[in-house]
Amino acid sequence: MNTDLQKRIRDSFARQTVMTTVGASITRVEPGEVDIELPFRSDLIQQHGFYHAGVVTMIVDTACGYAALTRMPASAAVLTVEYKVNFLSPASGEKLIARGRVLKPGRTLTVCFGEVHAFADGKEKLVVRS
Amino acid sequence: MNTDLQKRIRDSFARQTVMTTVGASITRVEPGEVDIELPFRSDLIQQHGFYHAGVVTMIVDTACGYAALTRMPASAAVLTVEYKVNFLSPASGEKLIARGRVLKPGRTLTVCFGEVHAFADGKEKLVVRS
Amino acid sequence: MNTDLQKRIRDSFARQTVMTTVGASITRVEPGEVDIELPFRSDLIQQHGFYHAGVVTMIVDTACGYAALTRMPASAAVLTVEYKVNFLSPASGEKLIARGRVLKPGRTLTVCFGEVHAFADGKEKLVVRS
Amino acid sequence: MNTDLQKRIRDSFARQTVMTTVGASITRVEPGEVDIELPFRSDLIQQHGFYHAGVVTMIVDTACGYAALTRMPASAAVLTVEYKVNFLSPASGEKLIARGRVLKPGRTLTVCFGEVHAFADGKEKLVVRS
């Protein structure tokens, strides 16, 4: 069953063309948990050289959306209705990992939370929380 | 003075490399008001063919950030600390326009609000509010 | 029909006992629009003498909840699932008015926005936006 | 020093008159951590008998505000600028405990998170997350 889940999520992820555009990949799929990884690229930044807030949001939104989808029937579709994102530190470093987790699954509304960690010089730092 | 403001904002926008990556342009710069336009591209979508929520957020974040910057001294820099985004309808159509407006300027914290409208078949629709 | 709506909303409001506890009253009920008024009382404040953020939130939540209810069938019930509130200025003055408005009605999820204005010395000031 | 901190926070809490009005008390003060407890009262409810969302928000806002204050100089004052609250389940039971924790202290802006747990029949349930 986990193989089915993996396949279902990864197939859907492959249709999120913007993930290819920015170079993100899905690195973890478990029930209620999805991770997305994004290596640094100089064409993803804002004016001061940090990852653009929207790019960071994009991967945490996708991680949360698919985390929600893991808890839904195979026929279900998921759509973001709202999120709140706190930027704790400017996001920089060799790569980002966004972790989406289901907080409360629901029939019509699933609540998730997400974190983004930045990796630089072998150190990990929490940069975003949603 | 408005020419200086225009130049300052547009120069900074040009350094947001991710705007070029997704094909966004800045179409309005006035004190407290900035608009960003994003034409549809098939490499910016999520799994159902809509603009990815993160892409939509990216342009409204940039519109709000620069709206804030228009109200700050020329030497100032701006960094997003948090946002909340509501997705009212799936975003589709030929282009999106994000409108960032300053609600309350502050010395260390400026509060903005933003809207994104989708344009399809000559009609405009509010799809996002932050 | 508007009389029915008025009665339905006001009857429900009367069962929100906390509204009586803080001294709030409902001053406007129209389709998609509800206002709540709260006169100042010295037992509703935080440590610096301003209306407590939670009290301000309480009236804007009630205004938004009932605004949503005006757009729902008579048999429906409404429950808050989430909100974001921005405090633009400390809330002080003789009274507050919270205005709840429906932004997007939905079958299972209705999106509203709210504002709270403070009235002092004959002047009105926007203090909260949700 | 912890005695000084305790005294500073508890003295300020005593000036939040609305806490007395609703019957809330402060039950834990540690660096970066404050808990607020609220016993059920039938005059704090919304129309279906649950604790009003605004009351629940009030105690988590106070818990977060004082958690922030524990990490600031003795002369500092704290003011809420914004929050987002998710209501995971209707809040009912004999009492609520709100736990405010500092996520990122800052010179001008401190980011906190909060949870509210409801206690009923000897069981504890997470009802709110901010």
Side-chain angles (χ1 to χ4, degrees), chain C:
Chain C
M1 189 201 279
N2 196 39
T3 312
D4 280 1
L5 179 64
Q6 292 271 348
K7 183 171 161 36
R8 178 158 62 96
I9 301 298
R10 289 175 190 275
D11 285 357
S12 178
F13 182 84
R15 290 193 299 276
Q16 284 209 350
T17 59
V18 75
M19 291 293 116
T20 306
T21 302
V22 299
S25 56
I26 193 163
T27 54
R28 177 185 165 88
V29 179
E30 299 294 336
E33 307 187 359
V34 166
D35 291 357
I36 306 285
E37 192 171 314
L38 180 71
F40 180 80
R41 273 184 7 202
S42 61
D43 63 346
L44 301 178
I45 60 174
Q46 43 84 284
Q47 69 276 22
H48 303 298
F50 302 117
Y51 290 86
H52 192 282
V55 171
V56 183
T57 301
M58 189 187 295
I59 59 170
V60 74
D61 172 53
T62 289
C64 286
Y66 283 124
L69 198 58
T70 63
R71 300 291 295 268
M72 294 162 73
S75 61
V78 70
L79 204 59
T80 302
V81 292
E82 61 89 19
Y83 45 60
K84 160 74 151 64
V85 188
N86 278 85
F87 298 87
L88 307 173
S89 298
S92 61
E94 299 103 44
K95 69 171 177 183
L96 302 179
I97 294 185
R99 300 184 176 117
R101 302 293 182 261
V102 172
L103 185 60
K104 183 177 161 61
R107 202 166 44 87
T108 55
L109 197 65
T110 290
V111 183
C112 298
F113 65 96
E115 289 186 351
V116 181
H117 290 252
F119 293 77
D121 304 324
K123 274 176 289 193
E124 180 175 348
K125 184 181 187 179
L126 175 66
V127 292
V128 159
R129 182 176 175 272
S130 77

Side-chain angles (χ1 to χ4, degrees), chain D residues 83-105:
Chain D
Y83 45 61
K84 160 73 151 61
V85 188
N86 279 84
F87 298 86
L88 307 174
S89 298
S92 60
E94 298 103 45
K95 69 172 178 183
L96 302 179
I97 295 185
R99 300 185 176 114
R101 302 292 181 262
V102 173
L103 185 59
K104 185 179 159 60

